[in-house]
Amino acid sequence: MVESTVIKSGLDGVVVAETGISEVEGQRGRLIIKGFDAEDLGFSHTFEETCALLWSSKEDGAELTKLFGQARVEAYEMSKDILPALLREHPMDSLRTATSLLTSGTQVDSKEYARITAAIGVFAANFSRMSRKLKPIAPDPKLTHAADFLRMITDETPSKAEIAGMDTYLTTVSDHGMNASTFTARVVASTESDNVSCIVAAIGALKGPLHGGAPGPVLDMLNEIGSPENAEKWIATQLDNRKRIMGMGHRIYTVRDPRAAIFEKAIRKLEEAGLKASRLPLARAVESTAERLLAERHPEKPLKANVEFYTAVLLDSLKLPSNIFSSTFAVGRAAGWFAHIAEQRALGRLIRPASKYTGAYPR
Ligand code: COA
């Protein structure tokens, strides 16, 4: 019998760990990752440099870039004949299944983390290709992870601006406090299970539309709305039907998610470099209409744009198909998952909360 009867079914406000990895300041709208403001990090670090930072690795960004390149090739060679059989309708199902082909121990080792993180990029990119009836493509180990990921998906050599946009995306989403998938990874690590099992479980948590599954539906929403004057009616109808507006609302932020502004800035940089016709003006109009209508219906809870709203616009601007948005999130978030897995292993404490029994007792 559990003595405390205070039940927090969504663990709202429950602090389950101390962490030196990232801080989400919900009322101020600030995200700090390893001592950097997320915006500074997103525009100054490549993804591999961010991994080096998050993993406190002996290898610097340049060394990790080499390790990632080799690991992409190894992952491709190991999986290329099997991947077509693993293609599922939902890209996250494919990604979860392919990732589980990898094996690992419980070691805290940035080389090992690089090997698995790199493989996730190869699997995600090639499943995206196969879902469009394109053949799998071999990685180019000379490229950075962001550049090669874009190249494998789009079949084009990405521009410098596009590579920078991809690095900004991957770096900005690399970590975000005790979010659901990170907590999942930590729960699995706390049982002393292996690294791959932690990541496979985290991918499963990220798939859900309340977490990392939202950006694809955000793009669908923008496409259905089509132009700003349709936004009011479309959103009101959704709310009348008790449907959630994807990309709006957050458990921790009571103000606009700071990552939305980072992605807007990244899109503007792409526009300065020649990108034409992004969905940014439409997105801004839909966001402000959604914010107003949600405030009318939920005066008790501020519901503003979250990371997924502008993820959809940024990844679309980078020419990624919408069905790969969640997998792309996994490519970036794997960096943070491993940082938390390492932190959890150092803590060495099984995560095992309690529940209050409401069923029958034996007579
Ligand atoms: N659209 C419409 N209504 C929303 C909403 C949204 N995006 N987000 C929350 N609400 C409503 C809920 O339905 C609830 O209303 P109710 O009490 O009448 O049922 C109320 O606001 C409180 O929401 P709650 O479920 O307690 O918020 P939460 O903190 O548990 O949820 C999210 C946070 C992110 C899961 C939620 O805002 C959401 O579902 N957003 C859309 C999905 C999304 O963008 N996910 C990505 C998150 S980064």
Side-chain angles (χ1 to χ4, degrees):
M1 166 106 64
V2 177
E3 281 168 26
S4 165
T5 50
V6 180
I7 297 172
K8 297 260 188 178
S9 56
L11 300 183
D12 314 31
V14 176
V15 178
V16 295
E18 288 186 333
T19 181
I21 302 167
S22 68
E23 165 75 341
V24 183
E25 295 181 352
Q27 295 187 359
R28 185 171 169 183
R30 184 164 79 159
L31 168 61
I32 298 167
I33 301 175
K34 282 279 186 175
F36 285 83
D37 185 282
E39 179 172 341
D40 294 339
L41 188 73
F43 289 106
S44 64
H45 282 58
T46 64
F47 180 59
E48 290 90 332
E49 287 166 347
T50 304
C51 289
L53 188 70
L54 283 167
W55 302 341
S56 303
S57 69
K58 290 193 295 295
E59 300 82 16
D60 63 14
E63 286 161 331
L64 279 187
T65 303
K66 275 193 201 147
L67 288 173
F68 265 80
Q70 290 160 9
R72 282 196 303 277
V73 173
E74 282 163 23
Y76 178 75
E77 290 302 325
M78 175 276 282
S79 65
K80 66 180 179 199
D81 297 332
I82 315 169
L83 286 187
L86 303 184
L87 182 66
R88 300 284 180 271
E89 198 175 332
H90 198 300
M92 290 292 271
D93 291 344
S94 313
L95 184 64
R96 190 199 59 224
T97 308
T99 304
S100 70
L101 295 174
L102 302 169
T103 50
S104 177
T106 59
Q107 61 272 56
V108 173
D109 174 5
S110 45
K111 287 188 178 151
E112 182 70 355
Y113 295 169
R115 180 177 73 81
I116 298 166
T117 306
I120 292 172
V122 174
F123 299 151
N126 275 306
F127 282 128
S128 164
R129 294 177 63 83
M130 288 186 280
S131 71
R132 289 172 285 139
K133 312 272 180 248
L134 297 172
K135 285 199 173 128
I137 190 172
D140 180 346
K142 295 188 294 306
L143 297 180
T144 64
H145 201 51
D148 206 19
F149 185 65
L150 284 172
R151 181 194 66 89
M152 288 188 281
I153 295 165
T154 62
D155 256 340
E156 291 172 15
T157 305
S159 68
K160 268 190 181 164
E162 287 168 335
I163 297 167
M166 194 69 225
D167 271 316
T168 297
Y169 174 76
L170 295 175
T171 290
T172 305
V173 301
S174 63
D175 200 56
H176 198 246
M178 200 55 71
N179 61 85
S181 57
T182 296
F183 184 56
T184 303
R186 288 188 74 130
V187 170
V188 180
S190 85
T191 71
E192 297 186 2
S193 185
D194 66 282
N195 292 321
V196 170
S197 295
C198 298
I199 298 298
V200 170
I203 292 172
L206 189 72
K207 174 187 170 190
L210 301 191
H211 188 12
V218 169
L219 195 71
D220 296 341
M221 168 177 73
L222 295 178
N223 287 337
E224 277 178 45
I225 291 176
S227 65
E229 63 276 13
N230 301 332
E232 178 108 14
K233 188 167 172 230
W234 194 95
I235 293 165
T237 307
Q238 293 291 110
L239 295 176
D240 288 346
N241 291 327
R242 298 199 62 78
K243 294 210 173 125
R244 293 191 178 212
I245 309 302
M246 293 291 119
M248 300 296 294
H250 200 273
R251 175 62 65 79
I252 309 284
Y253 292 118
T254 53
V255 295
R256 193 175 192 247
D257 188 325
R259 296 167 295 179
I262 299 172
F263 294 166
E264 270 193 274
K265 186 170 165 185
I267 298 161
R268 280 199 302 274
K269 279 176 178 272
L270 286 168
E271 287 173 343
E272 281 158 23
L275 168 77
K276 291 188 189 66
S278 86
R279 287 180 169 80
L280 194 53
L282 175 64
R284 283 213 191 97
V286 172
E287 177 193 0
S288 65
T289 306
E291 192 178 315
R292 179 168 47 78
L293 294 182
L294 284 165
E296 283 167 20
R297 295 182 192 226
H298 292 284
E300 79 293 350
K301 180 167 168 110
L303 297 167
K304 318 254 184 196
N306 63 47
V307 63
E308 310 295 20
F309 203 94
Y310 286 92
T311 288
V313 189
L314 175 57
L315 297 187
D316 177 58
S317 301
L318 290 169
K319 301 180 208 144
L320 300 195
S322 67
N323 72 353
I324 199 181
F325 289 176
S326 298
S327 315
T328 307
F329 194 168
V331 173
R333 184 53 62 83
W337 289 336
F338 276 122
H340 280 271
I341 291 165
E343 204 175 61
Q344 186 64 42
R345 294 205 192 285
L347 192 66
R349 177 98 181 129
L350 175 71
I351 297 176
R352 202 304 189 186
S355 50
K356 181 170 185 276
Y357 179 62
T358 58
Y361 281 88
R363 291 190 184 176

